[in-house]
Amino acid sequence: MKRMVLALATLLVGATTLAAQAPAIKPEIRPFAGAIIPTGDQRNLFRDAPMVGVQAAIELKPSLHVVGTFAWVPAQDKYPVAQDNVNIFKYDVGLELGFVQPLGGSWELRPFIGAGVGARTYAYQASTLSDKTCTTGYAALGTEFQLARTALRIEARDNVFCFRSPIAGAGTKTRNDIGLAFGVAYHLR
């Protein structure tokens, strides 16, 4: 876990340093809302849940972005010992690669693919379940419809992560879920 935090911090510091040194780099802020849909064995433990969050991005080139994401998922678990609410906190950094296609007028279509790494924390409200944090990776696909400095944004993420059960002795498993998000991107320069 310490290595993951160090890697995330290094990427963020490096991206911030690049932004400070190069006037062509454009920062963005991207609030979003959506849903998390558990798949496979994860579906046996959690229900579909809403998700809200924010991304900070740095446009290194129109086709390349460094992205940091924080999201909150107010979920419900299905554990037999305590079916209760759980707050899932997701945080990661990644890269997006895409292209810009003019649509007419001032509109641009900006489809992208992305990938990244991070962690997620499960904060259970039931006193019988212990909070857990584990690493995650994702692959993303989406697009922006941009007009001037503002864009409408759609993104789908396939999240693969280690999952540590909050029940003692249950162990760690590799799990998967799908994240769907709709948001707005504000290009600050």
Side-chain angles (χ1 to χ4, degrees):
M1 185 64 184
K2 289 180 183 179
R3 289 181 186 167
M4 177 64 69
V5 171
L6 181 60
L8 291 172
T10 302
L11 282 172
L12 289 174
V13 168
T16 304
T17 302
L18 281 173
Q21 293 174 353
I25 293 176
K26 300 176 184 177
E28 301 174 20
I29 188 83
R30 306 169 174 173
F32 63 87
I36 288 290
I37 303 164
T39 60
D41 290 337
Q42 191 74 351
R43 189 139 192 89
N44 298 330
L45 299 176
F46 293 92
R47 294 179 169 87
D48 297 349
M51 172 180 61
V52 294
V54 65
Q55 287 182 338
I58 298 172
E59 183 179 292
L60 302 175
K61 298 179 184 180
S63 62
L64 182 63
H65 291 78
V66 176
V67 180
T69 305
F70 175 80
W72 170 58
V73 180
Q76 285 198 316
D77 65 56
K78 299 179 186 178
Y79 283 104
V81 294
Q83 291 193 8
D84 202 357
N85 295 329
V86 57
N87 291 305
I88 304 170
F89 300 100
K90 300 170 21 124
Y91 29 95
D92 54 60
V93 294
L95 294 174
E96 289 178 358
L97 182 62
F99 65 91
V100 178
Q101 176 66 46
L103 292 177
S106 297
W107 284 96
E108 294 177 340
L109 175 68
R110 294 175 164 244
F112 63 87
I113 59 171
V117 296
R120 61 171 58 189
T121 299
Y122 290 80
Y124 296 92
Q125 293 181 4
S127 61
T128 56
L129 301 175
S130 60
D131 296 351
K132 299 292 180 183
T133 299
C134 209
T135 58
T136 184
Y138 73 87
L141 179 65
T143 192
E144 286 187 2
F145 298 95
Q146 185 172 337
L147 178 64
R149 290 185 171 189
T150 305
L152 300 176
R153 184 175 172 82
I154 300 168
E155 181 176 352
R157 283 191 179 191
D158 183 10
N159 302 294
V160 177
F161 49 93
C162 69
F163 178 75
R164 292 188 177 126
S165 176
I167 300 173
T172 301
K173 308 272 186 194
T174 299
R175 298 290 171 91
N176 179 261
D177 63 27
I178 304 296
L180 303 173
F182 177 77
V184 179
Y186 299 103
H187 302 259
L188 301 176
R189 284 203 213 165

